[in-house]
Amino acid sequence: MYVAVKGGEKAIRSAHELLARRRRGRQDVPELEVSQVEEQLSLAVDRVMTEGSVYDRELAALAIKQAAGDLVEAIFLLRAYRTTLNRFYSSEPIDTDAMEVERRISATYKDLPGGQVLGPTFDYTHRLLDFALLAEGEVEASNTEAVEARVDEAMARVSQLLEREGLMVNEADSGAEPADITREPPTYPCDRSARMQALVRGDEGFLLALGYSTQRGYGRNHPFAGEIRIGEVGVSIVPEELGFEVEIGAIQVSECEMVNGFTRLEGGEVKFTRGYGLGFGQCERKVMAMALVDRALQAAEYDEEIKSPAQQEEFVLSHCDNVEAAGFVSHLKLPHYVDFQSELELIRRIRTADAADNEEDRS
Amino acid sequence: MKTTTEQRQHWMSVLAKAPPETLLGLSEDAIKDIHFDIIRAPEVGLTQVRARMGNRGERFNLGDMTLTRCVVRSSLNTVGHSYIAGRDKTHALRAAQLDALLQDPQMGEVLMERVVQPIESMLADARASKQRETDATRVDFFTLVRGED
């Protein structure tokens, strides 16, 4: 229990002023512009948008600047701002088949329609610090060889190829209205749509660790990265006053479809199972982790023994949100003076009693 | 000639995706002599973005995105709507004004030519140049064959 205390207003004001000065840093270094964060720290922006649950690059960049680069704090700021806006619409489901692909790889098929496209990736870099970036100067203009215009080959979906052969469980739409955990907190066991929404908002580090734990044997699900895609998709709504679909713009998303270990289904057929990950911007590590955890959380549907953390729905979903987690851990900083006084009194009383007992034993 | 829903959907999509400065620049002249009544002033809000599991399965909520909407009535007695990703009220107002004018047969034809089509080809160019950058990272696998020339 904590109690309200008064006073300290002046100290608080000074602390905030000091924070602003520290955030600004040395005056002889130019101030960082929000557009620079947006353009040059774009992967931080993507993470803040995904976990902050608002796709708006400028707002996410502003939050990062204000939080002095503390991404969990920036996510908190964006979530708080989100609550000040009305939600006008729910979009039609985005279509990642129609994505303008910037990256598309598959670890399950070498040759597949549409090919493998690496895009802007850290993969295959040597992870050596590039001291050229320390020196000021422009990135040299593209020296990429001219690429021949390629035949526009449709990018077939790996999961579709497997589904068509009957080798993988189908994803089908029952028409059920998806859960919205921002309106109604999940109750357990919950719908997979609630799980997906929670996982998108979930902390990347937490989900990465859980996904990793399944690979190390805590709820193994034998994953293959069937397909990873990054690119832009259009977003459409159907405003009531118009009654037809209108495209409002495009957003960049990352998508991961895991092909997981096969199992014998109720009907007797053997099929691969699957996990799905999706997030705003370029967030490949996040969507891979999400797909692993999504599959782990389907344990009950496949009659698998639930014994590892990643398979426990309530454990995963109620601890994956870093705004909630940070809030509850941070509350320990609030005054607990009265609480602690009573603990102090108690421990002193016990120790005095113990001392008296020892005295008696000796005599 | 009455415009079809498809035509309107098409220009609304182009207006939404247009870079705001370009849109304002190209349409300045066309709208300056027309009076517009504001029916719904530009307002910023959210749209819940939905997706499907495996892109085929059940729907789920991915997160929100910002959106600005606006409704105007032109002196030609047409009503224009706009729904634009982001928080740019000027963009939303201009897109609503243009949506109103594009529904007028005469104005519509001129605006398609002066505003919508140029923006469309700009967007196509940008897409093509991005596509070329992406294509340069396409992997060509070699299959190594032994014992042959």
Side-chain angles (χ1 to χ4, degrees):
Chain A
M1 193 189 97
Y2 55 92
V3 290
V5 284
K6 285 179 73 140
E9 291 92 341
K10 205 169 146 243
I12 290 170
R13 206 177 323 118
S14 301
H16 290 169
E17 281 165 16
L18 182 60
L19 172 66
R21 279 203 302 282
R22 289 286 185 272
R23 174 172 57 222
R24 173 63 184 85
R26 259 170 41 201
Q27 292 287 332
D28 57 333
V29 176
E31 187 177 345
L32 190 60
E33 284 171 25
V34 170
S35 61
Q36 289 175 314
V37 176
E38 195 180 328
E39 291 297 316
Q40 297 174 37
L41 296 177
S42 62
L43 300 190
V45 168
D46 292 339
R47 177 166 177 199
V48 171
M49 292 196 302
T50 299
E51 294 172 33
S53 208
V54 180
Y55 192 100
D56 188 311
R57 306 199 69 85
E58 189 183 49
L59 288 180
L62 170 62
I64 291 166
K65 177 177 173 175
Q66 187 178 331
D70 179 339
L71 297 188
V72 174
E73 180 72 17
I75 289 160
F76 192 174
L77 290 171
L78 194 58
R79 290 262 190 103
Y81 178 77
R82 193 188 146 276
T83 62
T84 67
L85 294 176
N86 288 322
R87 188 185 283 155
F88 297 150
Y89 308 101
S90 284
S91 82
E92 296 301 294
I94 57 172
D95 180 9
T96 54
D97 280 2
M99 180 188 285
E100 281 177 23
V101 168
E102 294 159 47
R103 171 168 169 78
R104 187 278 194 116
I105 54 163
S106 167
T108 52
Y109 292 102
K110 177 166 71 78
D111 295 304
L112 75 173
Q116 308 241 8
V117 182
L118 301 180
T121 178
F122 288 118
D123 296 350
Y124 319 107
T125 61
H126 296 293
R127 264 75 182 209
L128 298 173
L129 278 177
D130 179 2
F131 287 94
L133 293 175
L134 259 183
E136 285 180 43
E138 295 294 305
V139 177
E140 53 188 294
S142 170
N143 57 0
T144 321
E145 295 163 43
V147 185
E148 285 175 46
R150 108 202 126 83
V151 194
D152 234 350
E153 188 180 31
M155 286 199 172
R157 211 178 176 81
V158 167
S159 57
Q160 285 289 103
L161 301 175
L162 291 167
E163 272 185 40
R164 217 170 292 147
E165 277 192 74
L167 297 175
M168 186 156 77
V169 293
N170 275 343
E171 290 284 15
D173 183 10
S174 69
E177 194 60 22
D180 183 1
I181 60 167
T182 65
R183 297 260 161 95
E184 264 178 63
T187 51
Y188 304 103
C190 70
D191 198 68
R192 187 167 163 219
S193 68
R195 294 205 300 251
M196 297 304 278
Q197 190 183 12
L199 295 179
V200 181
R201 297 157 63 94
D203 184 78
E204 178 175 322
F206 181 75
L207 296 180
L208 181 66
L210 282 176
Y212 178 44
S213 74
T214 67
Q215 291 181 284
R216 292 195 62 258
Y218 294 87
R220 240 181 242 292
N221 56 38
H222 205 59
F224 290 94
E227 186 164 0
I228 292 170
R229 289 181 180 214
I230 301 176
E232 280 195 356
V233 294
V235 180
S236 297
I237 57 172
V238 181
E240 241 170 61
E241 60 270 32
L242 294 186
F244 57 81
E245 201 173 310
V246 178
E247 196 171 10
I248 63 170
I251 60 173
Q252 189 193 36
V253 294
S254 299
E255 180 185 47
C256 172
E257 283 215 83
M258 269 322 162
V259 179
N260 297 84
F262 50 78
T263 188
R264 194 171 290 282
L265 304 175
E266 263 176 35
E269 277 189 291
V270 179
K271 289 189 177 193
F272 286 118
T273 58
R274 57 204 292 177
Y276 189 63
L278 189 68
F280 289 147
Q282 193 175 330
C283 57
E284 185 168 295
R285 194 192 301 120
K286 164 69 182 267
V287 293
M288 290 181 78
M290 178 178 167
L292 288 173
V293 176
D294 171 43
R295 174 58 187 86
L297 291 175
Q298 294 169 44
E301 285 137 64
Y302 296 115
D303 278 332
E304 292 160 349
E305 196 188 350
I306 297 177
K307 54 182 180 193
S308 298
Q311 299 168 314
Q312 290 168 17
E313 182 179 78
E314 185 166 357
F315 174 78
V316 174
L317 299 194
S318 54
H319 297 114
C320 69
D321 190 295
N322 58 29
V323 175
E324 281 172 21
F328 203 56
V329 170
S330 292
H331 110 282
L332 292 174
K333 294 184 287 188
L334 292 170
H336 286 72
Y337 307 137
V338 176
D339 243 8
F340 189 64
Q341 281 305 317
S342 73
E343 291 282 303
L344 264 183
E345 213 168 281
L346 184 60
I347 194 176
R348 285 198 176 117
R349 218 177 323 130
I350 295 169
R351 289 177 63 93
T352 313
D354 284 356
D357 284 351
N358 291 342
E359 198 78 359
E360 258 172 50
D361 288 349
R362 235 174 288 147
S363 58
Chain B
M1 189 192 75
K2 205 175 172 322
T3 51
T4 64
T5 302
E6 285 80 36
Q7 285 171 315
R8 193 161 172 215
Q9 282 173 313
H10 169 247
W11 77 56
M12 286 180 87
S13 153
V14 174
L15 296 177
K17 289 177 173 174
E21 308 80 47
T22 315
L23 179 70
L24 296 177
L26 286 173
S27 57
E28 200 62 57
D29 282 347
I31 67 141
K32 66 174 191 284
D33 298 325
I34 315 253
H35 175 76
F36 294 96
D37 287 324
I38 305 274
I39 296 176
R40 184 163 65 203
E43 58 176 335
V44 178
L46 296 170
T47 293
Q48 175 86 268
V49 182
R50 286 186 169 168
R52 289 183 185 284
M53 300 166 201
N55 204 41
R56 291 285 191 293
E58 303 283 359
R59 293 174 298 166
F60 68 96
N61 291 310
L62 178 63
D64 287 283
M65 67 188 284
T66 49
L67 161 114
T68 309
R69 64 178 181 184
C70 176
V71 185
V72 300
R73 185 194 306 279
S74 75
S75 48
L76 308 173
N77 207 25
T78 48
V79 177
H81 294 250
S82 70
Y83 311 86
I84 316 285
R87 290 167 294 114
D88 191 334
K89 291 184 178 178
T90 327
H91 185 170
L93 175 61
R94 182 58 56 88
Q97 291 170 331
L98 290 169
D99 179 48
L101 299 185
L102 279 155
Q103 292 170 64
D104 176 78
Q106 274 97 49
M107 280 295 276
E109 205 167 312
V110 178
L111 284 174
M112 278 305 285
E113 205 171 292
R114 291 202 197 148
V115 182
V116 179
Q117 280 154 11
I119 290 171
E120 228 185 325
S121 59
M122 257 183 68
L123 293 174
D125 286 349
R127 205 165 38 237
S129 108
K130 206 164 154 192
Q131 183 66 57
R132 274 195 301 279
E133 285 183 322
T134 301
D135 279 344
T137 69
R138 185 173 296 273
V139 182
D140 290 314
F141 283 107
F142 297 96
T143 307
L144 299 174
V145 183
R146 277 181 291 176
E148 276 178 53
D149 209 353

